[in-house]
């Protein structure tokens, strides 16, 4: 039988099939918790510090007191990878409010649950899609606004994205795009979005309720370094339909071109030159040990 991976729960390692938490955990009962999706490339955990910073920012906003200091959490992530002998991996770090009663009051939960799941790399899209682009649609599901369950907090509340993904599935397209309440483009279901028009790269601000993506930050930095014009600015669906290039970014998706939105062909329908260049430079960065934390 294949050796099972081990999962970290509150300081202990469990075989995958034995890795279980209480049905009274408010992460399950109410989606009361936060998470990070992180990648390790060839023995280096890409942007681990940045992911941990975001996790603790999410916790701060939700008044969720994580029992581990950031350095201890970092060690726990690295230990989990080491225990599983993984160098190329996808890491799911989850912190829930912990076990409480059937009421939603978080004061009843005294101990947050910390879970670290690691797995050999996941692939969201086929090689063909990664090279030639995916199809997407603007969904009727609006991104939760900044004064509600905004994705500025990376919480376990993902129903907003799941509803949009269901629409994409029904329409037989690869991904969905969510608008904010005003009708401006916000982001994909688990990706940030960028467009290119006349050589200028644009991405929506997080005031649209979009997640402040780590990959988004990396791409903004790369674009500046490569001397492209780049702006965080609102965009309309019409602007997206008429863009020269559109691409998504995310830890799981990496950088992926979008070739069609609501059946409108984007640009030439092929991966554009700026997207291509950013993809090449991004993959170089993922191989740079300075961009992450070495697995000991
Ligand atoms: C809603 C949402 N937007 C954007 C992203 C991309 O963020 P990152 O690049 O940090 O993975 C994610 C990633 O999980 C996400 O869930």
């Amino acid at each position: 039988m294949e050796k099972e991976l081990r999962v970290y729960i509150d300081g202990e390692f469990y075989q995958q099939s034995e890795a279980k938490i209480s049905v009274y955990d408010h992460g399950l009962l109410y989606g009361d918790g936060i998470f990070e999706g992180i990648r390790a490339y060839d023995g280096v955990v890409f942007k681990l510090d940045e992911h941990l910073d975001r996790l603790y920012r999410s916790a701060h906003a939700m008044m969720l007191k994580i029992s581990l200091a950031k350095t201890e959490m970092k060690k726990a992530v690295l230990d989990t990878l080491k225990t599983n002998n993984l160098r190329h991996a996808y890491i799911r770090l989850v912190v829930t409010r912990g076990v409480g009663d059937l009421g939603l009051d978080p004061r009843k939960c005294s101990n947050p649950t910390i879970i670290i799941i690691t797995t050999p790399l996941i692939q969201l899209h086929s090689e063909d899609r990664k090279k030639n682009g995916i199809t997407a649609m603007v969904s009727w599901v609006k991104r939760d606004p900044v004064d509600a369950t905004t994705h500025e907090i990376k919480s376990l509340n993902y129903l907003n994205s799941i509803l949009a993904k269901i629409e994409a599935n029904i329409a037989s397209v690869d991904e969905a795009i969510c608008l904010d309440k005003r009708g401006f483009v916000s982001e994909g279901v688990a990706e940030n979005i960028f467009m290119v028009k006349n050589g200028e790269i644009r991405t929506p601000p997080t005031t649209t309720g979009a997640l402040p993506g780590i990959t988004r930050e990396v791409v903004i930095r790369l674009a500046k370094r490569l001397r492209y014009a780049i702006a965080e600015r609102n965009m309309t669906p019409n602007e997206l339909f008429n863009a020269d290039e559109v691409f998504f970014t995310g830890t799981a998706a990496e950088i992926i071109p979008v070739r069609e939105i609501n059946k409108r062909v984007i640009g030439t329908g092929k991966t554009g030159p700026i997207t291509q260049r950013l993809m090449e430079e991004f993959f170089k960065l993922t191989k740079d040990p300075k961009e992450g934390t070495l697995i000991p």
Side-chain angles (χ1 to χ4, degrees), residues 35-37 51 54 90 143 151 154 158 161 187-192 210-216 249-252:
F35 76 102
E36 284 294 320
H51 280 282
R54 186 171 66 188
Y90 180 78
R143 178 51 81 229
H151 275 181
K154 199 164 166 56
Y158 259 57
S161 279
E187 60 176 352
V189 299
E191 304 86 9
N192 290 111
L211 181 86
I214 309 285
T215 321
R216 172 183 183 275
T249 65
T251 298

Side-chain angles (χ1 to χ4, degrees), residues 47 73 76 141 198 216 291:
K47 299 285 173 204
M73 188 67 92
V141 182
N198 299 329
R216 172 183 183 275
E291 298 292 330

Side-chain angles (χ1 to χ4, degrees), residues 21-22 28 54 68 96-97 111 123 139 149 168 208-209 212 232 268 272 274 294:
I21 60 160
S22 166
L28 170 70
R54 186 171 66 188
L68 297 184
T96 77
R97 188 78 65 180
N111 275 319
Q123 182 163 9
S139 87
T149 43
T208 58
E232 282 181 60
T268 61
I274 295 181
L294 274 170

Side-chain angles (χ1 to χ4, degrees), residues 209-230:
L211 181 86
I214 309 285
T215 321
R216 172 183 183 275
E217 248 345 281
V218 170
V219 166
I220 291 173
R221 207 186 77 204
L222 261 180
K224 286 182 180 160
R225 207 187 76 203
L226 297 170
R227 303 200 177 280
Y228 288 120
I230 174 135

Side-chain angles (χ1 to χ4, degrees), residues 122-159:
I122 55 164
Q123 182 163 9
L124 281 193
H125 298 288
S126 67
E127 288 305 319
D128 171 68
R129 289 285 201 271
K130 284 201 220 170
K131 191 159 161 272
N132 298 315
I134 59 170
T135 57
M137 66 177 288
V138 174
S139 87
W140 61 264
V141 182
K142 298 284 181 284
R143 178 51 81 229
D144 285 339
V146 288
D147 54 354
T149 43
T150 172
H151 275 181
E152 291 168 285
I153 300 174
K154 199 164 166 56
S155 81
L156 294 177
N157 282 263
Y158 259 57
L159 188 56

